[in-house]
Amino acid sequence: DLHSFPTRRSSDLEIVGATFSDYLDSDSRIAIGAKFQYSFTENMRGEFDFKLYPPKWHSTLWNPTVNFHYLFPIIDKLYVYPLAGVGVLGYSYSYSGVSDTQTIFTVKFGAGAEYYITEKFKGIFETYYQVAKKDNLKYSDPIISIGAGYIF
């Protein structure tokens, strides 16, 4: 019964207060972040996503992206969506007097799901592959992200 789904309006602004992400490889890094989502239609949504990877191995990463989602209602209060996006990955390194800062263009693609706990509050799960490579820097890895959001 699709009538139990939250009403999605094209004017919905959704703020995901916190996301936690992890690179799923041997260089595992946990990030904290925030997302701002805007629904253009009932099923199409744009998103600005910012993640900060705290210092590890004398380096810090930051990653703003702009993403697109197309939502499909599955069962009561559950939506799934493919996602695609572009952004940059900032990288800073400093150790023993050697420092470096790089900015790398990124592309990502994957899928996500969101479950509405109430009409204004939802849980989010995403998994995606982010391609980010420049010279000798490579951060092209699968990533998993979980979070919670509030709809204004």
Side-chain angles (χ1 to χ4, degrees):
D1 180 18
L2 296 181
H3 297 290
S4 59
F5 276 89
T7 303
R8 296 189 53 79
R9 300 176 308 274
S10 62
S11 61
D12 280 351
L13 172 64
E14 304 173 24
I15 296 178
V16 179
T19 60
F20 299 93
S21 302
D22 190 10
Y23 276 91
L24 300 177
D25 66 357
S26 60
D27 184 25
S28 184
R29 298 181 78 116
I30 294 181
I32 55 173
K35 298 175 179 246
F36 301 92
Q37 301 172 332
Y38 184 79
S39 297
F40 300 111
T41 69
E42 188 173 324
N43 296 87
M44 291 191 303
R45 175 173 69 200
E47 171 186 82
F48 173 76
D49 180 15
F50 182 84
K51 290 183 177 61
L52 176 65
Y53 295 82
K56 185 176 183 179
W57 298 307
H58 310 286
S59 66
T60 301
L61 301 172
W62 48 270
N63 186 206
T65 59
V66 176
N67 306 308
F68 175 78
H69 303 160
Y70 190 89
L71 290 89
F72 297 95
I74 300 299
I75 59 172
D76 186 34
K77 302 179 187 176
L78 176 68
Y79 289 87
V80 297
Y81 51 91
L83 67 89
V86 295
V88 294
L89 178 66
Y91 168 85
S92 296
Y93 173 84
S94 182
Y95 182 69
S96 294
V98 176
S99 61
D100 187 27
T101 301
Q102 298 275 336
T103 303
I104 308 165
F105 177 75
T106 65
V107 175
K108 72 180 185 181
F109 52 91
E114 58 188 35
Y115 181 78
Y116 283 79
I117 298 159
T118 70
E119 188 151 330
K120 295 286 188 182
F121 188 72
K122 66 181 178 177
I124 299 167
F125 173 81
E126 291 181 345
T127 184
Y128 54 89
Y129 193 81
Q130 180 168 275
V131 178
K133 185 176 180 183
K134 177 181 176 183
D135 302 328
N136 61 340
L137 294 176
K138 176 193 164 286
Y139 285 98
S140 299
D141 294 300
I143 299 172
I144 190 168
S145 181
I146 59 171
Y150 185 80
I151 296 90
F152 288 90

